[in-house]
Amino acid sequence: MVDIAMQPNAPGDRLIEARDLVKTYRMGGGTDEATEVHALQGVSVAIGRGEFVAIMGASGSGKSTLMNILGCLDQPTSGSYTLAGEGVERLGADALASIRNRRIGFVFQQFNLLPRTSAVENVALPLVYAGVGPKERELRALASLAKVGLAERAQHTPAELSGGQQQRVAIARALVNDPQMILADEPTGALDTHTSEEVMRLLTALNDDGITVILVTHEHDVAAWARRRIVFRDGRIVEDVRQEPVRGELA
């Protein structure tokens, strides 16, 4: 196991610091019959502010479990997790939801857009949950769409947009609360090669602007856009390397 908590980031530069994360699920019937599944086995990781990290691994390797914990969607069985200096591993559901809304933008393989709702209304949804007023919601959502090059499509529904445009709407939604990091889970998985490159260029540009990007993928050509690659196997980190990111066409 590679302990990447010891990567050369000064503590003040760390957005994420997780130590000895264990996640165990009990599968099956009653207590005597249940089988324990060890999704994470003592994982430690530090990620600096402004990094672009790709997390790779086969299905069941632990990469998605880690992402759920880093995104405050799940909690570890044991271990500690600090996000932007705030210990979050034992917070309640409401506190975790508040952190997600303030600090994290999510992008998924399936765009998760409301089908009968315009692009600008889809982007504004996190602001509704944050209690932002209607006028400010619209202004901020339009500004977020402009960042991803879709200002002119603000009133279009998902059915009127291409797959790549729908993913850009999803990215705009992830940006609307001005998050410190974006967690992207297989963001190009439903896209063709050309459109995948457009999405990766957009994520790269956002990272260049200072947003931390953590990308979960099983595709090596997608991971090649990151500046750091972490590989999981059987709930453990087996590789953690810095790399020179590509800036060209996906293979």
Side-chain angles (χ1 to χ4, degrees), residues 52-58 61 63-64 67 184-189 200 214-226 229-232:
F52 191 157
V53 181
I55 300 177
M56 302 191 71
S61 63
K63 64 185 189 300
S64 294
M67 184 177 182
D185 190 358
E186 301 284 1
T188 64
M200 293 309 302
I214 302 175
L215 169 74
V216 171
T217 183
H218 68 278
E219 300 179 56
H220 288 274
D221 49 0
V222 172
W225 288 74
R229 186 178 73 252
I230 298 171
V231 180
F232 270 79

Side-chain angles (χ1 to χ4, degrees), residues 42-221:
V43 169
S44 295
V45 59
I47 295 176
R49 299 175 190 273
E51 283 204 75
F52 191 157
V53 181
I55 300 177
M56 302 191 71
S59 178
S61 63
K63 64 185 189 300
S64 294
T65 300
L66 177 67
M67 184 177 182
N68 287 339
I69 291 173
L70 297 185
C72 298
L73 296 168
D74 198 1
Q75 293 174 302
T77 303
S78 63
S80 65
Y81 172 34
T82 301
L83 174 60
E86 184 175 3
V88 300
E89 73 276 0
R90 292 292 177 263
L91 293 181
D94 290 345
L96 290 174
S98 175
I99 289 172
R100 289 195 300 271
N101 209 35
R102 287 185 287 112
R103 299 192 185 278
I104 307 169
F106 295 91
V107 180
F108 300 99
Q109 177 175 339
Q110 304 301 324
F111 317 126
N112 297 331
L113 302 177
L114 298 180
R116 298 181 181 84
T117 303
S118 69
V120 67
E121 291 170 321
N122 267 289
V123 171
L125 276 176
L127 301 176
V128 175
Y129 303 137
V132 177
K135 186 61 178 177
E136 185 180 349
R137 287 202 305 263
E138 182 179 16
L139 290 174
R140 287 172 61 178
L142 288 170
S144 194
L145 281 169
K147 288 180 183 179
V148 301
L150 285 180
E152 76 285 358
R153 298 282 187 170
Q155 300 306 322
H156 289 241
T157 64
E160 298 169 322
L161 302 172
S162 69
Q165 288 171 335
Q166 290 183 58
Q167 189 61 295
R168 281 194 279 161
V169 171
I171 293 171
R173 181 181 57 198
L175 292 172
V176 75
N177 266 339
D178 195 24
Q180 292 173 290
M181 70 173 172
I182 288 178
L183 294 181
D185 190 358
E186 301 284 1
T188 64
L191 304 175
D192 60 45
T193 299
H194 176 73
T195 308
S196 295
E197 182 177 346
E198 291 181 347
V199 168
M200 293 309 302
R201 288 191 183 281
L202 175 56
L203 291 175
T204 297
L206 295 173
N207 178 248
D208 289 343
D209 287 341
I211 296 177
T212 303
V213 177
I214 302 175
L215 169 74
V216 171
T217 183
H218 68 278
E219 300 179 56
H220 288 274
D221 49 0

